[in-house]
Amino acid sequence: MTFFHPVTELSLSHLPSGTVSMLGVNHSAVPEFVLIGFSTFPQLQLMFFLLFLLMYLFTLLGNLLIMATIWSERSLHTPMYFFLCALSISEILYTFAIIPRTLADLLSTHHTIALVACASQMFFSFTFGFTHSFLLTIMGYDRYVAICHPLRYNVLMSPQGCACLVVWSWAGGSIMGMVVTTAIFNLTFCGPNEIHHFSCHVPPLLKLACGNDVPVVAKGVGLMCITALLGCCLLILLSYAFIVATILKIPSAEGRYKAFSTCASHLTVVIVHHGFASVIYLKPKGPQSLEGDTLFGITYTVLTPFLSPIIFSLRNKELKNAMNKTFLSKLSPDKL
């Protein structure tokens, strides 16, 4: 796949026809869509391109650096960092499903995207996005077991158990992506074909669909996404409620600080991730501008993945020290 070409949305045109049919892509009257995206900001497109390119490269490098550090430092071969490594992989794949296509559109006047390519982008973005949410939930459970049940930690978070949790997260994300994409692209798109967004996002696509089943599909998809999002939030809040109750029972202030410091980076990423996701999925419907929808989309698609490796690198002292030891010390051997 080339970096600045429309196929970077992981087009389904290269997949077997059976795989395409599994996604439920309907043969609509509209063969392709036009992504309006940032064409409403013509004077700012070059600035957006440079900004998004830098943020995208930083996201890739940051997550790759985290993965390389965890891989090379044996002291980080623990369940918490295994989950963090899986989180970095899902983040890289999520951004790869959307941002390269957006960068290409910012430099091009040709903004069309084929129906199956649009379905492909939606499937992969929902798959990796919800996988990310499920992994954050599992990481909250990991911190709960480590702090509330330390003596049972090695049993409850065994290598086989951790691998199963990651596999179930990816399976759950894939199911969410499959269900949402199938529901949306089984609708008929009669025209117009202009998507007022920089990616194949559900709300603007629903506005282009026609038929009596559109309201039912819209409510069903919205309810499923909100339920999954709130379910993850509830489980994380429950985990941290037990964690806080346990930490408060620790007699020494140093012990309380040490226990909570292991959760700080995860909790910060959870707040950022679910905060921006709530803006996308829970914001009330109203007469707002199309430009506002596009700018809201940036927060979750570009900004959240950009902030995640920064937070984990700076807020996690153990990971930060391992990075300094593994990489920065090699760049400055005189500081050893």
Side-chain angles (χ1 to χ4, degrees), residues 15 24-26 37-38 41 49 76 87 90 93-94 98 140 142 167 172 174 209 212 217 232 239 269 271 283 298 308:
L15 297 178
V25 178
N26 187 33
F38 297 99
F41 307 96
F49 172 80
L76 300 182
L87 193 75
S90 73
L93 294 174
Y94 174 77
I98 299 177
D142 171 75
V167 169
S174 299
N212 297 328
V217 171
C232 289
S239 296
V269 170
I271 292 172
K283 62 179 173 49
I298 295 173
S308 183

Side-chain angles (χ1 to χ4, degrees), residues 9-76:
E9 67 270 26
L10 303 175
S11 173
L12 285 181
S13 59
H14 300 292
L15 297 178
S17 58
T19 306
V20 176
S21 62
M22 282 177 62
L23 290 178
V25 178
N26 187 33
H27 297 286
S28 297
V30 176
E32 61 182 19
F33 297 105
V34 178
L35 295 171
I36 301 299
F38 297 99
S39 58
T40 52
F41 307 96
Q43 70 281 8
L44 298 176
Q45 287 197 34
L46 181 59
M47 185 196 75
F48 278 134
F49 172 80
L50 295 174
L51 179 63
F52 294 166
L53 177 61
L54 290 175
M55 293 175 74
Y56 178 57
L57 292 177
F58 188 92
T59 300
L60 290 179
L61 291 175
N63 282 295
L64 289 173
L65 182 61
I66 288 174
M67 293 165 60
T69 302
I70 294 171
W71 179 267
S72 60
E73 187 62 38
R74 292 189 63 84
S75 64
L76 300 182

Side-chain angles (χ1 to χ4, degrees), residues 292-311:
D293 283 340
T294 301
L295 295 176
F296 272 129
I298 295 173
T299 60
Y300 191 73
T301 306
V302 182
L303 187 59
T304 301
F306 171 75
L307 292 175
S308 183
I310 296 176
I311 294 169

Side-chain angles (χ1 to χ4, degrees), residues 241-255:
F242 286 112
I243 288 172
V244 170
T246 302
I247 289 177
L248 292 177
K249 295 177 183 178
I250 299 175
S252 66
E254 183 181 355

Side-chain angles (χ1 to χ4, degrees), residues 131 139 166 219 233 236 250 307:
T131 298
M139 292 174 74
V166 170
K219 290 179 181 178
C233 285
I236 293 172
I250 299 175
L307 292 175

Side-chain angles (χ1 to χ4, degrees), residues 125-147:
S125 62
F126 269 88
T127 294
F128 301 135
F130 276 103
T131 298
H132 197 85
S133 295
F134 297 150
L135 286 171
L136 284 174
T137 306
I138 289 173
M139 292 174 74
Y141 172 72
D142 171 75
R143 291 299 83 206
Y144 158 74
V145 175
I147 294 174

